[in-house]
Amino acid sequence: MSIMKNWQKIFALLMVVFLCMGCSNVPSTSYNPWAVISVPTESKLLDIAFTDNPQHGFLVGSNATILETHDGGDTWEPLRLSLDDARTRFDSVSFAGQEGWILGEPSLLLHTTDEGGSWSSITLSSKLPGSPIAIYALGENTAEMATDLGAIYKTEDGGKNWKAQVEGAVGVVRNMQRSSDGKYVAVSAKGSFYSTWEPGQTTWTPHNRNNSRRLENMGFAENGQLWLLARGGQVQFSDPENPENWQDPQNPELATSWGLLDLAYRTANDIWIGGGSGNLLHSADGGQTWEKDRDVEGVAANLYKIVFLSPEQGFVIGDRGILLKYQPNISESFSQAAA
């Protein structure tokens, strides 16, 4: 009998420990600057971009979804285009001034030179290594396109011809990001290593991850510093002077198991991280300390993409058609939009 009681005590103690592990001790943000925006689709949203007019933008996703806004992202309307396949998945959209590109699977590229007033369709070669996953508008008639095998191509004639920028492929990638000065970082499909490339190099440079945690995502700060998100909610930044060296890893919210999915800089020191189950973390000091936006926890979505077009204009994309818009100094915006 006493043995049974001892086991019951041990079990109860373990349950208390387990429950405490699920408690977060990260301080809360002083207010919530994010508003939930209603979008007229249930398709998965994947990317967002604006023209040189901050009121005019496009949101793309699965099932040939293209949404357009003329009021800075407060309201969105479907853009109807004649496409051969309604199942087309639009992965990427990018604008430089009034010229824009939308990249889709399987191998479809749309191009506009009049701020989206009209679009032309560009057929991509079926012999491309991998599936195109990212497009970057760089200037007049100029863009770069990347595939999920790490192939990078550049056009300078509006998409008529494309020149390979790198020899060979890096292998299937989980995700890929480009810096403003043309550098790329790609995380392998299994998160076991990452690779970097910069203009002038002929091949990708592979790098081993620096601990046992598998990589989830990587990208660049404005100063060229690398950041990474790893399994178990880990965040790490490279040495600003030497990208080969990494600062000590951080676990902003050690008590939880929610995965961290994307990171974006609003300013040089203001950082936001999105994660599973409405998890949104914020640092105002370049990642030294963290706080949590608990008003967003009620959003039943994984927040997997954060985009800041300027310090005053930003969006968070989540699954189930969730879109959050950054509205600084409007603490009531979230509750009003969610009501």
PDB file of all heavy atoms in Angstrom, residues 13-47:
ATOM      1  N   LEU A  13       4.132  14.595  -8.642  1.00  0.00           N
ATOM      2  CA  LEU A  13       5.251  15.530  -8.738  1.00  0.00           C
ATOM      3  C   LEU A  13       5.687  15.713 -10.179  1.00  0.00           C
ATOM      4  O   LEU A  13       5.956  16.833 -10.631  1.00  0.00           O
ATOM      5  CB  LEU A  13       6.419  15.020  -7.889  1.00  0.00           C
ATOM      6  CG  LEU A  13       7.690  15.883  -7.878  1.00  0.00           C
ATOM      7  CD1 LEU A  13       7.372  17.270  -7.313  1.00  0.00           C
ATOM      8  CD2 LEU A  13       8.784  15.220  -7.051  1.00  0.00           C
ATOM      9  N   LEU A  14       5.734  14.600 -10.924  1.00  0.00           N
ATOM     10  CA  LEU A  14       6.122  14.683 -12.335  1.00  0.00           C
ATOM     11  C   LEU A  14       5.104  15.500 -13.128  1.00  0.00           C
ATOM     12  O   LEU A  14       5.480  16.259 -14.031  1.00  0.00           O
ATOM     13  CB  LEU A  14       6.248  13.277 -12.934  1.00  0.00           C
ATOM     14  CG  LEU A  14       7.440  12.444 -12.448  1.00  0.00           C
ATOM     15  CD1 LEU A  14       7.353  11.028 -13.008  1.00  0.00           C
ATOM     16  CD2 LEU A  14       8.751  13.108 -12.864  1.00  0.00           C
ATOM     17  N   MET A  15       3.830  15.358 -12.798  1.00  0.00           N
ATOM     18  CA  MET A  15       2.806  16.132 -13.492  1.00  0.00           C
ATOM     19  C   MET A  15       2.967  17.617 -13.224  1.00  0.00           C
ATOM     20  O   MET A  15       2.809  18.453 -14.117  1.00  0.00           O
ATOM     21  CB  MET A  15       1.416  15.674 -13.048  1.00  0.00           C
ATOM     22  CG  MET A  15       1.003  14.323 -13.612  1.00  0.00           C
ATOM     23  SD  MET A  15       0.929  14.331 -15.429  1.00  0.00           S
ATOM     24  CE  MET A  15      -0.380  15.505 -15.697  1.00  0.00           C
ATOM     25  N   VAL A  16       3.297  17.978 -11.986  1.00  0.00           N
ATOM     26  CA  VAL A  16       3.526  19.385 -11.652  1.00  0.00           C
ATOM     27  C   VAL A  16       4.699  19.934 -12.443  1.00  0.00           C
ATOM     28  O   VAL A  16       4.644  21.039 -12.999  1.00  0.00           O
ATOM     29  CB  VAL A  16       3.763  19.550 -10.138  1.00  0.00           C
ATOM     30  CG1 VAL A  16       4.227  20.975  -9.830  1.00  0.00           C
ATOM     31  CG2 VAL A  16       2.495  19.230  -9.366  1.00  0.00           C
ATOM     32  N   VAL A  17       5.792  19.138 -12.517  1.00  0.00           N
ATOM     33  CA  VAL A  17       6.971  19.565 -13.271  1.00  0.00           C
ATOM     34  C   VAL A  17       6.625  19.745 -14.732  1.00  0.00           C
ATOM     35  O   VAL A  17       7.004  20.732 -15.383  1.00  0.00           O
ATOM     36  CB  VAL A  17       8.111  18.542 -13.098  1.00  0.00           C
ATOM     37  CG1 VAL A  17       9.269  18.880 -14.040  1.00  0.00           C
ATOM     38  CG2 VAL A  17       8.581  18.510 -11.655  1.00  0.00           C
ATOM     39  N   PHE A  18       5.859  18.780 -15.269  1.00  0.00           N
ATOM     40  CA  PHE A  18       5.487  18.845 -16.685  1.00  0.00           C
ATOM     41  C   PHE A  18       4.643  20.081 -16.977  1.00  0.00           C
ATOM     42  O   PHE A  18       4.858  20.790 -17.955  1.00  0.00           O
ATOM     43  CB  PHE A  18       4.714  17.577 -17.065  1.00  0.00           C
ATOM     44  CG  PHE A  18       4.216  17.582 -18.483  1.00  0.00           C
ATOM     45  CD1 PHE A  18       5.076  17.313 -19.544  1.00  0.00           C
ATOM     46  CD2 PHE A  18       2.886  17.870 -18.763  1.00  0.00           C
ATOM     47  CE1 PHE A  18       4.619  17.321 -20.840  1.00  0.00           C
ATOM     48  CE2 PHE A  18       2.426  17.882 -20.062  1.00  0.00           C
ATOM     49  CZ  PHE A  18       3.296  17.603 -21.108  1.00  0.00           C
ATOM     50  N   LEU A  19       3.671  20.342 -16.104  1.00  0.00           N
ATOM     51  CA  LEU A  19       2.822  21.511 -16.310  1.00  0.00           C
ATOM     52  C   LEU A  19       3.594  22.807 -16.200  1.00  0.00           C
ATOM     53  O   LEU A  19       3.357  23.770 -16.934  1.00  0.00           O
ATOM     54  CB  LEU A  19       1.666  21.491 -15.308  1.00  0.00           C
ATOM     55  CG  LEU A  19       0.616  20.389 -15.534  1.00  0.00           C
ATOM     56  CD1 LEU A  19      -0.366  20.363 -14.384  1.00  0.00           C
ATOM     57  CD2 LEU A  19      -0.112  20.582 -16.851  1.00  0.00           C
ATOM     58  N   CYS A  20       4.545  22.862 -15.290  1.00  0.00           N
ATOM     59  CA  CYS A  20       5.359  24.068 -15.123  1.00  0.00           C
ATOM     60  C   CYS A  20       6.232  24.316 -16.342  1.00  0.00           C
ATOM     61  O   CYS A  20       6.531  25.450 -16.683  1.00  0.00           O
ATOM     62  CB  CYS A  20       6.230  23.958 -13.872  1.00  0.00           C
ATOM     63  SG  CYS A  20       5.281  24.135 -12.336  1.00  0.00           S
ATOM     64  N   MET A  21       6.656  23.193 -16.987  1.00  0.00           N
ATOM     65  CA  MET A  21       7.470  23.342 -18.192  1.00  0.00           C
ATOM     66  C   MET A  21       6.685  24.043 -19.288  1.00  0.00           C
ATOM     67  O   MET A  21       7.236  24.676 -20.173  1.00  0.00           O
ATOM     68  CB  MET A  21       7.949  21.984 -18.679  1.00  0.00           C
ATOM     69  CG  MET A  21       9.023  21.350 -17.820  1.00  0.00           C
ATOM     70  SD  MET A  21       9.503  19.714 -18.425  1.00  0.00           S
ATOM     71  CE  MET A  21      10.194  20.157 -20.016  1.00  0.00           C
ATOM     72  N   GLY A  22       5.363  23.913 -19.258  1.00  0.00           N
ATOM     73  CA  GLY A  22       4.544  24.558 -20.268  1.00  0.00           C
ATOM     74  C   GLY A  22       4.226  26.003 -19.960  1.00  0.00           C
ATOM     75  O   GLY A  22       3.571  26.670 -20.730  1.00  0.00           O
ATOM     76  N   CYS A  23       4.670  26.481 -18.800  1.00  0.00           N
ATOM     77  CA  CYS A  23       4.408  27.867 -18.415  1.00  0.00           C
ATOM     78  C   CYS A  23       5.509  28.767 -18.963  1.00  0.00           C
ATOM     79  O   CYS A  23       6.677  28.448 -18.849  1.00  0.00           O
ATOM     80  CB  CYS A  23       4.349  27.996 -16.900  1.00  0.00           C
ATOM     81  SG  CYS A  23       3.090  26.951 -16.145  1.00  0.00           S
ATOM     82  N   SER A  24       5.128  29.881 -19.532  1.00  0.00           N
ATOM     83  CA  SER A  24       6.112  30.793 -20.103  1.00  0.00           C
ATOM     84  C   SER A  24       6.397  31.924 -19.133  1.00  0.00           C
ATOM     85  O   SER A  24       5.489  32.530 -18.580  1.00  0.00           O
ATOM     86  CB  SER A  24       5.586  31.365 -21.425  1.00  0.00           C
ATOM     87  OG  SER A  24       6.432  32.380 -21.899  1.00  0.00           O
ATOM     88  N   ASN A  25       7.674  32.200 -18.907  1.00  0.00           N
ATOM     89  CA  ASN A  25       8.054  33.309 -18.039  1.00  0.00           C
ATOM     90  C   ASN A  25       8.600  34.488 -18.827  1.00  0.00           C
ATOM     91  O   ASN A  25       9.229  35.377 -18.268  1.00  0.00           O
ATOM     92  CB  ASN A  25       9.080  32.847 -16.994  1.00  0.00           C
ATOM     93  CG  ASN A  25      10.348  32.307 -17.636  1.00  0.00           C
ATOM     94  OD1 ASN A  25      10.451  32.262 -18.872  1.00  0.00           O
ATOM     95  ND2 ASN A  25      11.305  31.892 -16.820  1.00  0.00           N
ATOM     96  N   VAL A  26       8.368  34.490 -20.154  1.00  0.00           N
ATOM     97  CA  VAL A  26       8.799  35.615 -20.972  1.00  0.00           C
ATOM     98  C   VAL A  26       7.885  36.810 -20.686  1.00  0.00           C
ATOM     99  O   VAL A  26       6.665  36.669 -20.681  1.00  0.00           O
ATOM    100  CB  VAL A  26       8.731  35.257 -22.471  1.00  0.00           C
ATOM    101  CG1 VAL A  26       9.223  36.420 -23.327  1.00  0.00           C
ATOM    102  CG2 VAL A  26       9.536  34.007 -22.754  1.00  0.00           C
ATOM    103  N   PRO A  27       8.430  37.982 -20.412  1.00  0.00           N
ATOM    104  CA  PRO A  27       7.572  39.149 -20.143  1.00  0.00           C
ATOM    105  C   PRO A  27       6.713  39.507 -21.349  1.00  0.00           C
ATOM    106  O   PRO A  27       7.082  39.244 -22.496  1.00  0.00           O
ATOM    107  CB  PRO A  27       8.574  40.262 -19.814  1.00  0.00           C
ATOM    108  CG  PRO A  27       9.872  39.799 -20.384  1.00  0.00           C
ATOM    109  CD  PRO A  27       9.861  38.308 -20.318  1.00  0.00           C
ATOM    110  N   SER A  28       5.574  40.103 -21.098  1.00  0.00           N
ATOM    111  CA  SER A  28       4.654  40.483 -22.170  1.00  0.00           C
ATOM    112  C   SER A  28       5.032  41.835 -22.757  1.00  0.00           C
ATOM    113  O   SER A  28       5.606  42.693 -22.075  1.00  0.00           O
ATOM    114  CB  SER A  28       3.220  40.545 -21.633  1.00  0.00           C
ATOM    115  OG  SER A  28       2.797  39.304 -21.145  1.00  0.00           O
ATOM    116  N   THR A  29       4.699  42.023 -24.026  1.00  0.00           N
ATOM    117  CA  THR A  29       4.874  43.333 -24.647  1.00  0.00           C
ATOM    118  C   THR A  29       3.935  44.326 -23.968  1.00  0.00           C
ATOM    119  O   THR A  29       2.877  43.966 -23.451  1.00  0.00           O
ATOM    120  CB  THR A  29       4.547  43.273 -26.147  1.00  0.00           C
ATOM    121  OG1 THR A  29       3.250  42.707 -26.328  1.00  0.00           O
ATOM    122  CG2 THR A  29       5.564  42.414 -26.892  1.00  0.00           C
ATOM    123  N   SER A  30       4.326  45.592 -23.971  1.00  0.00           N
ATOM    124  CA  SER A  30       3.519  46.624 -23.298  1.00  0.00           C
ATOM    125  C   SER A  30       2.204  46.868 -24.013  1.00  0.00           C
ATOM    126  O   SER A  30       1.221  47.287 -23.406  1.00  0.00           O
ATOM    127  CB  SER A  30       4.318  47.928 -23.205  1.00  0.00           C
ATOM    128  OG  SER A  30       4.689  48.382 -24.489  1.00  0.00           O
ATOM    129  N   TYR A  31       2.162  46.621 -25.332  1.00  0.00           N
ATOM    130  CA  TYR A  31       0.919  46.712 -26.087  1.00  0.00           C
ATOM    131  C   TYR A  31       1.076  45.877 -27.347  1.00  0.00           C
ATOM    132  O   TYR A  31       2.180  45.469 -27.716  1.00  0.00           O
ATOM    133  CB  TYR A  31       0.578  48.162 -26.433  1.00  0.00           C
ATOM    134  CG  TYR A  31       1.394  48.743 -27.566  1.00  0.00           C
ATOM    135  CD1 TYR A  31       0.872  48.810 -28.862  1.00  0.00           C
ATOM    136  CD2 TYR A  31       2.682  49.225 -27.351  1.00  0.00           C
ATOM    137  CE1 TYR A  31       1.614  49.333 -29.902  1.00  0.00           C
ATOM    138  CE2 TYR A  31       3.433  49.752 -28.379  1.00  0.00           C
ATOM    139  CZ  TYR A  31       2.898  49.807 -29.662  1.00  0.00           C
ATOM    140  OH  TYR A  31       3.640  50.320 -30.688  1.00  0.00           O
ATOM    141  N   ASN A  32      -0.025  45.595 -28.013  1.00  0.00           N
ATOM    142  CA  ASN A  32      -0.016  44.784 -29.224  1.00  0.00           C
ATOM    143  C   ASN A  32      -0.186  45.671 -30.462  1.00  0.00           C
ATOM    144  O   ASN A  32      -1.217  46.335 -30.606  1.00  0.00           O
ATOM    145  CB  ASN A  32      -1.145  43.755 -29.178  1.00  0.00           C
ATOM    146  CG  ASN A  32      -1.320  43.082 -30.528  1.00  0.00           C
ATOM    147  OD1 ASN A  32      -0.377  42.548 -31.081  1.00  0.00           O
ATOM    148  ND2 ASN A  32      -2.527  43.132 -31.069  1.00  0.00           N
ATOM    149  N   PRO A  33       0.818  45.708 -31.349  1.00  0.00           N
ATOM    150  CA  PRO A  33       0.724  46.568 -32.529  1.00  0.00           C
ATOM    151  C   PRO A  33       0.159  45.864 -33.765  1.00  0.00           C
ATOM    152  O   PRO A  33       0.204  46.413 -34.861  1.00  0.00           O
ATOM    153  CB  PRO A  33       2.178  46.958 -32.767  1.00  0.00           C
ATOM    154  CG  PRO A  33       2.937  45.727 -32.368  1.00  0.00           C
ATOM    155  CD  PRO A  33       2.160  45.124 -31.213  1.00  0.00           C
ATOM    156  N   TRP A  34      -0.351  44.635 -33.614  1.00  0.00           N
ATOM    157  CA  TRP A  34      -0.788  43.848 -34.758  1.00  0.00           C
ATOM    158  C   TRP A  34      -2.313  43.763 -34.833  1.00  0.00           C
ATOM    159  O   TRP A  34      -2.974  43.467 -33.849  1.00  0.00           O
ATOM    160  CB  TRP A  34      -0.204  42.444 -34.703  1.00  0.00           C
ATOM    161  CG  TRP A  34       1.289  42.429 -34.745  1.00  0.00           C
ATOM    162  CD1 TRP A  34       2.143  42.402 -33.676  1.00  0.00           C
ATOM    163  CD2 TRP A  34       2.108  42.484 -35.909  1.00  0.00           C
ATOM    164  NE1 TRP A  34       3.457  42.420 -34.113  1.00  0.00           N
ATOM    165  CE2 TRP A  34       3.463  42.467 -35.481  1.00  0.00           C
ATOM    166  CE3 TRP A  34       1.843  42.529 -37.281  1.00  0.00           C
ATOM    167  CZ2 TRP A  34       4.529  42.506 -36.373  1.00  0.00           C
ATOM    168  CZ3 TRP A  34       2.917  42.559 -38.167  1.00  0.00           C
ATOM    169  CH2 TRP A  34       4.237  42.550 -37.714  1.00  0.00           C
ATOM    170  N   ALA A  35      -2.853  44.000 -36.024  1.00  0.00           N
ATOM    171  CA  ALA A  35      -4.285  43.870 -36.278  1.00  0.00           C
ATOM    172  C   ALA A  35      -4.528  42.659 -37.168  1.00  0.00           C
ATOM    173  O   ALA A  35      -3.774  42.411 -38.121  1.00  0.00           O
ATOM    174  CB  ALA A  35      -4.829  45.120 -36.963  1.00  0.00           C
ATOM    175  N   VAL A  36      -5.560  41.890 -36.873  1.00  0.00           N
ATOM    176  CA  VAL A  36      -5.958  40.781 -37.727  1.00  0.00           C
ATOM    177  C   VAL A  36      -6.732  41.336 -38.921  1.00  0.00           C
ATOM    178  O   VAL A  36      -7.708  42.062 -38.757  1.00  0.00           O
ATOM    179  CB  VAL A  36      -6.837  39.778 -36.961  1.00  0.00           C
ATOM    180  CG1 VAL A  36      -7.296  38.668 -37.896  1.00  0.00           C
ATOM    181  CG2 VAL A  36      -6.072  39.182 -35.785  1.00  0.00           C
ATOM    182  N   ILE A  37      -6.266  41.003 -40.125  1.00  0.00           N
ATOM    183  CA  ILE A  37      -6.881  41.504 -41.350  1.00  0.00           C
ATOM    184  C   ILE A  37      -7.699  40.390 -41.994  1.00  0.00           C
ATOM    185  O   ILE A  37      -7.203  39.271 -42.172  1.00  0.00           O
ATOM    186  CB  ILE A  37      -5.812  42.009 -42.337  1.00  0.00           C
ATOM    187  CG1 ILE A  37      -4.970  43.115 -41.698  1.00  0.00           C
ATOM    188  CG2 ILE A  37      -6.470  42.503 -43.624  1.00  0.00           C
ATOM    189  CD1 ILE A  37      -5.737  44.344 -41.276  1.00  0.00           C
ATOM    190  N   SER A  38      -8.918  40.687 -42.363  1.00  0.00           N
ATOM    191  CA  SER A  38      -9.765  39.713 -43.037  1.00  0.00           C
ATOM    192  C   SER A  38      -9.402  39.644 -44.517  1.00  0.00           C
ATOM    193  O   SER A  38      -9.316  40.678 -45.200  1.00  0.00           O
ATOM    194  CB  SER A  38     -11.238  40.112 -42.884  1.00  0.00           C
ATOM    195  OG  SER A  38     -12.065  39.241 -43.606  1.00  0.00           O
ATOM    196  N   VAL A  39      -9.166  38.435 -45.001  1.00  0.00           N
ATOM    197  CA  VAL A  39      -8.850  38.242 -46.419  1.00  0.00           C
ATOM    198  C   VAL A  39      -9.886  37.308 -47.037  1.00  0.00           C
ATOM    199  O   VAL A  39     -10.340  36.362 -46.392  1.00  0.00           O
ATOM    200  CB  VAL A  39      -7.426  37.679 -46.617  1.00  0.00           C
ATOM    201  CG1 VAL A  39      -6.385  38.698 -46.189  1.00  0.00           C
ATOM    202  CG2 VAL A  39      -7.234  36.377 -45.842  1.00  0.00           C
ATOM    203  N   PRO A  40     -10.273  37.558 -48.293  1.00  0.00           N
ATOM    204  CA  PRO A  40     -11.360  36.786 -48.923  1.00  0.00           C
ATOM    205  C   PRO A  40     -10.887  35.470 -49.526  1.00  0.00           C
ATOM    206  O   PRO A  40     -11.127  35.195 -50.707  1.00  0.00           O
ATOM    207  CB  PRO A  40     -11.869  37.760 -49.995  1.00  0.00           C
ATOM    208  CG  PRO A  40     -10.646  38.510 -50.404  1.00  0.00           C
ATOM    209  CD  PRO A  40      -9.830  38.671 -49.151  1.00  0.00           C
ATOM    210  N   THR A  41     -10.203  34.645 -48.756  1.00  0.00           N
ATOM    211  CA  THR A  41      -9.771  33.342 -49.251  1.00  0.00           C
ATOM    212  C   THR A  41      -9.472  32.426 -48.077  1.00  0.00           C
ATOM    213  O   THR A  41      -9.134  32.901 -46.988  1.00  0.00           O
ATOM    214  CB  THR A  41      -8.511  33.458 -50.134  1.00  0.00           C
ATOM    215  OG1 THR A  41      -8.160  32.164 -50.656  1.00  0.00           O
ATOM    216  CG2 THR A  41      -7.338  33.993 -49.340  1.00  0.00           C
ATOM    217  N   GLU A  42      -9.609  31.141 -48.319  1.00  0.00           N
ATOM    218  CA  GLU A  42      -9.198  30.147 -47.336  1.00  0.00           C
ATOM    219  C   GLU A  42      -7.947  29.412 -47.807  1.00  0.00           C
ATOM    220  O   GLU A  42      -7.494  28.471 -47.151  1.00  0.00           O
ATOM    221  CB  GLU A  42     -10.334  29.148 -47.094  1.00  0.00           C
ATOM    222  CG  GLU A  42     -11.567  29.782 -46.449  1.00  0.00           C
ATOM    223  CD  GLU A  42     -12.664  28.778 -46.177  1.00  0.00           C
ATOM    224  OE1 GLU A  42     -12.497  27.602 -46.565  1.00  0.00           O
ATOM    225  OE2 GLU A  42     -13.683  29.169 -45.581  1.00  0.00           O
ATOM    226  N   SER A  43      -7.396  29.834 -48.944  1.00  0.00           N
ATOM    227  CA  SER A  43      -6.177  29.223 -49.467  1.00  0.00           C
ATOM    228  C   SER A  43      -4.983  29.595 -48.597  1.00  0.00           C
ATOM    229  O   SER A  43      -5.014  30.599 -47.875  1.00  0.00           O
ATOM    230  CB  SER A  43      -5.932  29.679 -50.906  1.00  0.00           C
ATOM    231  OG  SER A  43      -6.992  29.275 -51.747  1.00  0.00           O
ATOM    232  N   LYS A  44      -3.943  28.815 -48.691  1.00  0.00           N
ATOM    233  CA  LYS A  44      -2.736  29.101 -47.923  1.00  0.00           C
ATOM    234  C   LYS A  44      -2.018  30.297 -48.523  1.00  0.00           C
ATOM    235  O   LYS A  44      -1.711  30.317 -49.720  1.00  0.00           O
ATOM    236  CB  LYS A  44      -1.806  27.885 -47.903  1.00  0.00           C
ATOM    237  CG  LYS A  44      -0.582  28.083 -47.019  1.00  0.00           C
ATOM    238  CD  LYS A  44       0.221  26.801 -46.872  1.00  0.00           C
ATOM    239  CE  LYS A  44       1.377  27.010 -45.901  1.00  0.00           C
ATOM    240  NZ  LYS A  44       2.164  25.768 -45.690  1.00  0.00           N
ATOM    241  N   LEU A  45      -1.741  31.303 -47.702  1.00  0.00           N
ATOM    242  CA  LEU A  45      -1.029  32.497 -48.146  1.00  0.00           C
ATOM    243  C   LEU A  45       0.463  32.272 -48.002  1.00  0.00           C
ATOM    244  O   LEU A  45       0.924  31.687 -47.024  1.00  0.00           O
ATOM    245  CB  LEU A  45      -1.470  33.704 -47.328  1.00  0.00           C
ATOM    246  CG  LEU A  45      -2.988  33.973 -47.317  1.00  0.00           C
ATOM    247  CD1 LEU A  45      -3.327  35.100 -46.365  1.00  0.00           C
ATOM    248  CD2 LEU A  45      -3.488  34.267 -48.720  1.00  0.00           C
ATOM    249  N   LEU A  46       1.250  32.761 -48.977  1.00  0.00           N
ATOM    250  CA  LEU A  46       2.671  32.426 -49.003  1.00  0.00           C
ATOM    251  C   LEU A  46       3.605  33.625 -49.096  1.00  0.00           C
ATOM    252  O   LEU A  46       4.729  33.558 -48.612  1.00  0.00           O
ATOM    253  CB  LEU A  46       2.956  31.456 -50.165  1.00  0.00           C
ATOM    254  CG  LEU A  46       2.270  30.089 -50.031  1.00  0.00           C
ATOM    255  CD1 LEU A  46       2.371  29.313 -51.338  1.00  0.00           C
ATOM    256  CD2 LEU A  46       2.896  29.295 -48.898  1.00  0.00           C
ATOM    257  N   ASP A  47       3.177  34.726 -49.716  1.00  0.00           N
ATOM    258  CA  ASP A  47       4.111  35.855 -49.846  1.00  0.00           C
ATOM    259  C   ASP A  47       3.322  37.141 -50.074  1.00  0.00           C
ATOM    260  O   ASP A  47       2.159  37.122 -50.498  1.00  0.00           O
ATOM    261  CB  ASP A  47       5.090  35.610 -50.999  1.00  0.00           C
ATOM    262  CG  ASP A  47       6.337  36.466 -50.902  1.00  0.00           C
ATOM    263  OD1 ASP A  47       6.570  37.075 -49.827  1.00  0.00           O
ATOM    264  OD2 ASP A  47       7.108  36.522 -51.877  1.00  0.00           O
TER     265      ASP A  47
END
